[in-house]
Amino acid sequence: METEYSIALALEDYLPVIFSLIGVWFIARTIQQLDRTLGMMAFTGLALLAVGGILKATWKLLMAINGTDIPLFSQALFPMIAPGFTLIATAVYSYTRQLQAKPGLRRPWVIPLIVIGLFAVGSVLIAVNGGPWRVPLIMLATIGNVVLLLMLAVGAWKRNMRPLAVVFVIVLLTIIGLSQMATNMPQTIPVQWFEQIVQTLAQLAFCLGTWQLTQRMAQEAPAVRRLAMGVA
């Protein structure tokens, strides 16, 4: 039985996507100011998240308007956000090491592309055998998102921005909780409204949190550049 969507519900689904993308944009912009290669990686991840999130929200809107079902729109989410979160998490990891005056990844694209490739192959093999091909991509997206939020929480904690660190942990727990609800509860309209509103608030908190944290990180970047030039 297909779930019916109201137009209001479908339009609201764009809000968490927008807040999430703005938050990741803060991260990508800050990374690019120190390292262009890592910045390109983060912006590539941002683009993938945008494609996946916007297509899924648009699929819901079309279903609400006239019942038009475009499978590509609904199925594009995890194939986009899985590599997207992987690239962003890798960029944040290498960037954080540079802020700590430690060497970043020498070839930063190699490891995430290998990981993405392995999960993609696993997804294809499962699909060929008629299984749930999304599972490996869901796992990769979850791992990337969890690692990203944990790194942001640790980064905020080390900078004595402890309330902000707690916010990132709450966002992480909220996302995990909502995924469990989506799996284990009937997706009635009231349940979906609850899930989307909570998701919107969580992504708004993520957006505001990344804005504050990246401002602090951007202040540290000039000192790192001067140190690198002095060593050179």
Side-chain angles (χ1 to χ4, degrees):
M1 179 178 178
E2 294 184 355
T3 303
E4 295 183 358
Y5 304 105
S6 67
I7 293 179
L9 179 69
L11 289 174
E12 200 281 337
D13 201 33
Y14 283 96
L15 289 180
V17 175
I18 292 170
F19 290 142
S20 174
L21 294 178
I22 294 174
V24 174
W25 180 82
F26 286 135
I27 295 172
R29 179 194 61 174
T30 303
I31 292 175
Q32 189 176 49
Q33 291 172 352
L34 180 64
D35 189 310
R36 290 197 172 195
T37 300
L38 294 178
M40 183 182 298
M41 178 183 294
F43 274 112
T44 300
L46 172 61
L48 292 170
L49 295 186
V51 172
I54 292 173
L55 285 181
K56 183 62 182 290
T58 301
W59 170 80
K60 185 177 288 189
L61 180 60
L62 292 174
M63 289 287 290
I65 293 174
N66 55 19
T68 300
D69 182 9
I70 304 178
L72 175 63
F73 284 18
S74 63
Q75 295 174 4
L77 181 63
F78 289 105
M80 292 292 105
I81 69 172
F85 277 123
T86 303
L87 292 175
I88 295 164
T90 303
V92 170
Y93 170 76
S94 190
Y95 173 81
T96 300
R97 287 185 61 84
Q98 291 186 40
L99 285 185
Q100 298 170 347
K102 298 177 181 178
L105 299 174
R106 284 190 174 183
R107 296 180 178 84
W109 286 91
V110 173
I111 294 177
L113 289 180
I114 290 175
V115 171
I116 292 167
L118 290 174
F119 277 84
V121 169
S123 180
V124 170
L125 291 176
I126 292 174
V128 168
N129 289 280
W133 60 270
R134 289 193 189 97
V135 171
L137 300 178
I138 293 173
M139 290 176 58
L140 182 58
T142 302
I143 293 170
N145 199 3
V146 168
V147 170
L148 174 62
L149 287 168
L150 287 178
M151 285 192 294
L152 295 176
V154 170
W157 188 271
K158 288 183 176 179
R159 291 170 175 83
N160 291 320
M161 305 171 76
R162 296 186 176 176
L164 188 56
V166 173
V167 168
F168 285 125
V169 172
I170 291 175
V171 171
L172 172 59
L173 295 176
T174 300
I175 292 173
I176 294 173
L178 289 175
S179 67
Q180 292 299 311
M181 281 189 64
T183 302
N184 299 315
M185 291 187 63
Q187 292 299 291
T188 62
I189 295 298
V191 169
Q192 288 195 67
W193 267 113
F194 174 79
E195 291 174 348
Q196 286 189 195
I197 290 173
V198 172
Q199 180 74 283
T200 299
L201 294 175
Q203 295 305 325
L204 176 59
F206 170 77
C207 178
L208 296 175
T210 54
W211 173 63
Q212 294 183 55
L213 181 58
T214 54
Q215 280 190 317
R216 180 72 65 85
M217 288 179 169
Q219 294 171 359
E220 300 168 1
V224 175
R225 282 195 293 266
R226 287 195 299 270
L227 179 61
M229 292 175 63
V231 171

